[in-house]
DNA sequence: TTCAAATCATTCTATATATGAATGATTCAT
DNA sequence: ATGAATCATTCATATATAGAATGATTTGAA
């Protein structure tokens, strides 16, 4: 039987992951805030760079965001000059979202911020421990069907 | 220099932690949903059991929730019969929040759900790997100043 | 060819939550 | 005894999100 002498409940690994994940997400949000973007913006930026001339619908389904919310997010980013809406020549129902020069620059800054965030967050661990943690997390993520590079924190709860 | 041949960006460990943490939080929320409670309720339940006769103010500051929101949460839980407001005899400004029998029962069910959640979420890993992951997470959590058993996901962002 | 169904972006409405100020009762310190 | 502080509460406001409804366009079948 588990040791529960009085009321001292040692949290399990899943709870620790929740704590750490929330903390990591918050710190990343703080890192990119000076760039004028939020985590959803960052996800869009990455995806638009990976899939050029992508419709809003595809972005929405890939990121798990509702189309109606995507409209607002794209509005914001277009207003900042990070990307442009371009009517598709073949299907005039949808847009092709394209990165501007400023958008590409912001993406590069965002990736630098992500790298620095990663380094800082894992700094309490030795390089060997960092590698071990990463391997274990990759194994877990694979088994839980998490999409490469897209975190499920954009939709519902 | 890091290998970035084309556009394939391998996510760092911090990003993996964000993904896993979000996923773990969501699954836990689904687990306790049949009990009629949400994650904030679960946090309150745990804390009230650990600190009996606790004021709403203490709960709010410990959990990082605004007092005005705490009122609503306690209202909901009292409405479900999980806890009672009892005027403090020594200081009639504040309440002492006490668990009811049903509240204690729900807490026990919640802890069972948490244990099952932990087992299921980590099932892709061997027992040794699970222990390693837990140790590394504990080390990280300690260095990042995370409170025992209280995750920072209840406030702002 | 034509017409119904599907698709994309958008707008609108409703709900939940975050935030902070203000209120009233009570206690504390001088 | 009086003013400051504390606790629970209410209020007003802002923001995020879900989901339904709309209009333009394309697609597919009769």
């Amino acid at each position: 039987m588990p040791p529960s002498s009085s009321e001292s409940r040692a949290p399990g690994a899943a709870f620790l992951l929740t704590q750490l994940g929330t903390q990591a997400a918050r710190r990343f949000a703080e890192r990119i805030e000076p760039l004028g973007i939020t985590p959803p913006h960052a996800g869009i930026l990455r995806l638009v760079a990976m899939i050029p001339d992508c419709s809003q619908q595809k972005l929405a389904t890939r990121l798990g965001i509702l189309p109606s919310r995507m409209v607002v997010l794209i509005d914001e980013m277009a207003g900042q000059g990070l990307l442009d809406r371009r009517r598709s020549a073949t299907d005039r129902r949808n847009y092709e979202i394209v990165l501007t020069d400023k958008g590409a620059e912001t993406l590069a800054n965002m990736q630098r911020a992500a790298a620095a965030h990663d380094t800082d967050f894992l700094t309490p661990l030795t390089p060997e421990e960092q590698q071990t943690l990463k391997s274990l997390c990759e194994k877990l993520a694979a088994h839980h069907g998490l999409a490469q590079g897209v975190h499920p924190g954009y939709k519902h709860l």
Side-chain angles (χ1 to χ4, degrees), chain A residues 2-11:
Chain A
S4 74
S5 54
S6 61
E7 288 292 352
S8 65
R9 286 226 142 265

Side-chain angles (χ1 to χ4, degrees), chain A residues 32-143:
Chain A
I32 61 176
E33 196 249 337
L35 303 177
I37 60 174
T38 64
H41 296 144
I44 293 172
L45 223 44
R46 284 192 67 245
L47 215 49
V48 169
M50 285 175 53
I51 309 172
D53 298 342
C54 192
S55 74
Q56 294 184 193
Q57 197 75 213
K58 271 181 201 152
L59 290 174
T61 55
R62 287 248 197 168
L63 291 172
I65 297 178
L66 290 179
S68 54
R69 176 147 170 63
M70 185 60 67
V71 171
V72 179
L73 291 169
I74 300 288
D75 277 349
E76 293 166 353
M77 297 176 75
Q80 288 179 285
L82 300 178
L83 41 80
D84 276 334
R85 283 183 171 97
R86 190 170 298 169
R87 277 289 175 198
S88 167
T90 63
D91 185 342
R92 287 192 330 229
R93 283 175 303 182
N94 58 19
Y95 286 114
E96 288 163 354
I97 306 297
V98 294
L99 270 189
T100 62
D101 289 348
K102 185 182 175 189
E105 184 187 347
T106 301
L107 173 63
N109 287 331
M110 189 262 279
Q111 287 170 337
R112 267 189 288 277
H117 163 62
D118 202 77
T119 299
D120 286 1
F121 198 79
L122 297 176
T123 211
L125 303 183
T126 69
E128 295 77 21
E129 287 174 331
Q130 293 185 18
Q131 184 50 48
T132 302
L133 177 66
K134 190 174 172 182
S135 298
L136 293 174
C137 285
E138 282 168 347
K139 193 168 177 181
L140 269 186
H143 279 266

